[in-house]
């Protein structure tokens, strides 16, 4: 007798281990529940059974898995508020056939359904005091009554399965929340980019000659940064710095910005303040704006240390600023200004070449020339700079000029 009990206990432990493994597996959840039911029935030699999942809205138990019973999956059992409370308070399996089980009305009302389920026991699955579902079990194959040990085993299994349901519900709600957060984050970024674009247009509106300048500098800067192997947020921030590089000009007198004559020293001083003013405007805004603010501050620095406002040299200047500097200057050369008409592309590239290693960073210049070459050869994914130039030029001449600049500075830029 003791031997038999021992064997039964070992068998139960093995079944519970199987059940634990099953529940923790990454299999399809419905499959997990089906297998769990089979394990539960197999452990105690019960031929028929079903698992119902509880939902609060509407208050019902829905059969999600069954064994030995045809056409019951999907069937629903409605519950009253007090019935939910009564079932959730039960710590032991409920004998549906017993007359004084405290749920007489519920059993009577659903008698037809329970007959269909061959239900002898109803085992509530409760997690943290909350009704998760019910397992319905028929009588044992042997016809013997369920012993106290059997009921304990059934309760343990019901707890396991109940936890599986509970965890799955948590995962689903977490996924939904994560999805919602992703959507909100995307919307927030959209708003952020719209604000940046609005700022960019506000700066350009102040200057009669620079319509679309901020937008082009942003696009050029991003394209150069991508060519240099940058990606993700770093790339995005450089684009934003491109948009906002001249934001400080909103505090500079319009007469100075649009002055067609050479500026006086006082006017230059006033205009040059825009780098620091821009920094002050942006630095008060949270990360990643502080980085963008500093890039904006440094967009008139020169790699040889002769720029402003700090006279930084080489790598002391943020890479984003060195990129924006070239994009800004190139666009200025390619558009009409109060004091001159735009330059031919060949001449602009000569200027870039002449100022490499003094105003411009050689690595940025070679990346920029590689990008232009790719756009001319049709090797780039999209053409960003060439369509904006809007000038006629000798393609072969420009290609050889770009190749010459690249070969002249490539070695230096690799050595750095
Ligand atoms: Fe500027």
């Amino acid at each position: 007798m003791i031997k038999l009990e021992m064997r039964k206990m070992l068998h139960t432990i093995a079944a519970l281990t199987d059940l634990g493994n099953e529940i923790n597996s990454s299999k399809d959840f419905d499959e997990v529940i089906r297998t769990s039911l089979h394990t539960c029935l197999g452990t105690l030699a019960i031929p028929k059974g079903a698992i119902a999942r509880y939902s609060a809205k509407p208050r019902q138990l829905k059969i999600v898995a069954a064994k030995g019973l045809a056409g019951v999956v999907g069937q629903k059992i409605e519950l009253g508020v007090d019935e939910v409370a009564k079932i959730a308070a039960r710590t032991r399996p409920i004998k549906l056939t017993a007359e004084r089980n405290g749920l007489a009305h519920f059993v009577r009302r659903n008698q037809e359904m329970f007959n269909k389920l061959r239900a002898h026991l109803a085992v509530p699955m409760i997690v943290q005091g909350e009704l998760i579902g019910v397992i319905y079990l028929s009588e044992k194959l042997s016809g013997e009554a369920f012993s106290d040990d059997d009921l304990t085993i059934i309760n343990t299994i019901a707890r396991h399965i109940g936890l599986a349901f509970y965890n799955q519900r948590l995962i689903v709600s977490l996924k939904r929340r994560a999805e919602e957060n992703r959507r909100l984050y995307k919307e927030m970024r959209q708003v952020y980019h719209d604000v940046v674009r609005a700022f960019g247009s506000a700066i350009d509106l102040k200057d009669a000659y620079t319509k679309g300048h901020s937008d082009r500098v942003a696009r050029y800067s991003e394209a150069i940064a991508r060519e240099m192997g940058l990606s993700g947020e770093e790339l995005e921030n450089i684009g934003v710095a491109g948009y906002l590089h001249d934001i400080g000009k909103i505090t500079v007198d319009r007469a100075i910005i649009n002055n067609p004559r050479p500026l006086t020293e006082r006017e230059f001083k006033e205009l040059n303040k825009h780098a620091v003013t821009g920094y002050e405007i942006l630095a008060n805004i949270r990360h990643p704006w502080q980085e963008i603010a500093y890039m904006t501050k440094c967009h008139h620095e020169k790699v040889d240390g002769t720029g402003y406002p700090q006279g930084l040299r080489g790598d002391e200047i943020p890479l984003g600023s060195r990129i924006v500097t070239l994009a800004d200057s190139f666009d200025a050369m390619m558009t009409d200004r109060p004091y001159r008409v735009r330059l031919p592309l060949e001449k602009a590239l000569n200027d870039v070449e002449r100022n490499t290693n003094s105003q411009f960073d050689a690595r940025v210049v070679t990346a920029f020339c590689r990008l232009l070459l790719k756009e001319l050869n049709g090797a780039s994914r999209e053409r960003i700079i060439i369509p904006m130039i809007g000038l006629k030029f000798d393609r072969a001449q420009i290609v050889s000029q770009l190749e010459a600049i690249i070969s002249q500075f490539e070695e230096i830029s690799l050595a750095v």
Side-chain angles (χ1 to χ4, degrees), residues 321-338:
S321 311
R322 282 175 269 151
I323 292 174
V324 171
T325 301
L326 178 61
D328 183 23
S329 305
F330 180 72
D331 187 63
M333 290 184 230
M334 300 311 294
T335 44
D336 291 335
R337 293 282 147 146

Side-chain angles (χ1 to χ4, degrees), residues 353 356 362 365-367 369-370 373 399-414:
E353 183 180 4
T356 301
V365 169
T366 48
C369 291
R370 268 200 317 271
L373 258 187
V399 166
S400 70
Q401 197 181 351
L402 289 168
E403 284 170 345
I405 300 175
I406 293 169
S407 68
Q408 184 186 342
F409 296 116
E410 206 166 37
E411 246 170 76
I412 300 169
S413 58
L414 284 176

Side-chain angles (χ1 to χ4, degrees), residues 245-246 274 299-300 328:
H245 69 283
D246 270 344
H274 78 277
H299 80 278
H300 284 289
D328 183 23

